[in-house]
Amino acid sequence: MQNTGGGLQAQGKKIPPPPLIGPSPSEAAITDNEKALFYEGILRAGQLESTCDNCAMVTDGSPAIRNPNNGLREADPIFPQFTTNSNGLGARHNADQCFACHAQPTFGGSGGFLVPNPVQVAQGLPARPPENPQFNLIPHRFGKQNVVPSFELQYGPIREVRFIHKVDANGDFIHDTNGNPIPDGGVHQLWTVRGIQGDQTISSCSLVQPDFEKQVRQHNVAFRIPLQMLGLGLIESIQDREILSHQAATASARAALGIAGRPNRSGNDGTITRFGWKAQNKSITMFAGEAYNVEMGITNELFPTATEEDPNCNGANKPEPNDVTRTENNDRINQSFHNPLHILADWMEFQVMMRFTDGPRPEPYPSRSAIRGKQVFSDIGCALCHTPTMQTAPVMNSAVLQDRPVNLYSDILLHDMGTGLADGVSQGQAGPREFRTTPLWGVGQRIFFLHDGRTNDLLVAIAAHASNGSEANAVIDAFNSRSKADKQAVLDFLRSL
């Protein structure tokens, strides 16, 4: 991965921005206004968050070219590493900028590695090898006093942690009246702002992290790694009827292999939800608002309540919700009501950016083995869940998104993946053993695989689909019965996506 993500950083090069969606087959192109919002969204997603509303080192929403405190220049002004250019970071959080967890192979991709010593690099010292930013960079940035849990490995995946069962202040299980542990399933943020420099309003913050090691010993943790954001606007543009028609068309073939599959649905309007490892989020907008609050602790119109309200760790003058539609009369801090690029909150610009990113593009000239692998992939039944292509809605407000193929390699349905992949967490209608079929476009550019990032080996990831009760067992049996050349061909095909 030398020429992607953090590998580029280590060479003194910038990580490429998310790809802008190209024209549709009918030659409908993105409008100038949509394009302007897309590029503004890139700037917002790269911002480095400070805590209080006037703590940012440079003007909110502006590129961070040089740190005013030490005079050092940022290698990439739209992805600053030691110069804050936004604010609202929560008392508890997992990250302090969106792209920190979405930089592989480009910004907007899945989780990858970053250079861990950006200040030293700016001082002229060599870059250390890129690593998991949750191992040192984020937990200790600006003096934060966090202990890194054992599951955040230096060269391992970026992991978010959920607790399977609720625990009390001592980390012991909470039981219901029948003596059963009460389900949890929620995210428990890794880091606190204790010790952070540059905000005197929270100098007395004494928040402690959850005892993650105790929960590991109690087998009470479920890990998730970041999914790519590329092409999400296209996936959102697929109608429910398109998803259900593919499900109906393959019903008999799936049944013959023991594959079921069902959509996760919104508890409000009953429509199909489709984003996240368990298809728990209805829309990009929902994902954006939740990510700002859950991952960065930044409250917004959709999630207006802080996950941690300790006043000693939020400051007396921090408004909640923090990231909201702008109503300033001037653009002094890039928040003018009269500027169409600045009126939207950061989290809203983030969802606009995701809407207009292009989907990952496959290798234009795949090898003969990869071409063979595509056929084997279909023959053994992989394509019954990893649906190669769906079509977006025929008419949409954004013409560039309408009536075009989406080569996602997913049916967007939930499947029982058995005891081997079960994580004990239910979300929406998805049970503890169910996961959405992960879209495979771009899989060849990812470093880690499966929901918890347990492997960086595609062959191991394929094998993990088989376990007691998994709907994939017959397909994996068919894969295992193939020749060594055919198995390699499937791997080559996947790496070409």
Side-chain angles (χ1 to χ4, degrees), residues 53 58 128 144 188 197 204 328 372 380 439 441 453:
D53 259 17
V58 299
R128 298 210 308 266
K144 287 184 290 187
H188 289 256
Q197 301 164 2
S204 60
E328 295 291 327
R372 167 66 182 163
I380 63 177
W441 57 354

Side-chain angles (χ1 to χ4, degrees), residues 4-51:
T4 58
L8 293 170
Q9 267 191 324
Q11 301 174 59
K13 300 176 183 178
K14 295 179 181 179
I15 300 173
L20 178 68
I21 191 170
S24 70
S26 63
E27 299 186 357
I30 189 170
T31 68
D32 289 342
N33 290 344
E34 290 169 338
K35 187 184 299 183
L37 287 170
F38 171 80
Y39 286 117
E40 178 67 19
I42 291 176
L43 178 60
R44 306 284 189 93
Q47 291 174 158
L48 184 58
E49 302 289 342
S50 65
T51 48

Side-chain angles (χ1 to χ4, degrees), residues 372-453:
R372 167 66 182 163
K374 182 177 182 179
Q375 186 61 53
V376 176
F377 183 87
S378 178
D379 289 346
I380 63 177
C382 298
L384 293 174
C385 296
H386 291 283
T387 305
T389 303
M390 292 194 193
Q391 196 80 2
T392 62
V395 181
M396 301 193 66
N397 277 318
S398 294
V400 71
L401 293 171
Q402 71 187 25
D403 196 24
R404 61 187 296 165
V406 185
N407 304 316
L408 72 169
Y409 282 90
S410 171
D411 59 7
I412 316 181
L413 301 178
L414 299 172
H415 294 276
D416 185 341
M417 299 310 297
T419 57
L421 289 178
D423 69 352
V425 172
S426 296
Q427 291 183 278
Q429 296 178 15
R433 304 194 335 182
E434 289 182 298
F435 290 91
R436 178 196 66 162
T437 303
T438 303
L440 291 181
W441 57 354
V443 70
Q445 296 286 337
R446 298 173 202 165
I447 300 176
F448 298 101
F449 308 109
L450 302 175
H451 64 280
D452 51 11

Side-chain angles (χ1 to χ4, degrees), residues 222-243:
F223 302 125
R224 303 281 175 84
I225 65 172
L227 287 159
Q228 66 184 15
M229 301 183 292
L230 307 180
L232 295 193
L234 292 168
I235 294 177
E236 188 177 71
S237 302
I238 298 169
Q239 292 181 300
D240 284 8
R241 61 186 296 176
E242 174 78 356
I243 298 169

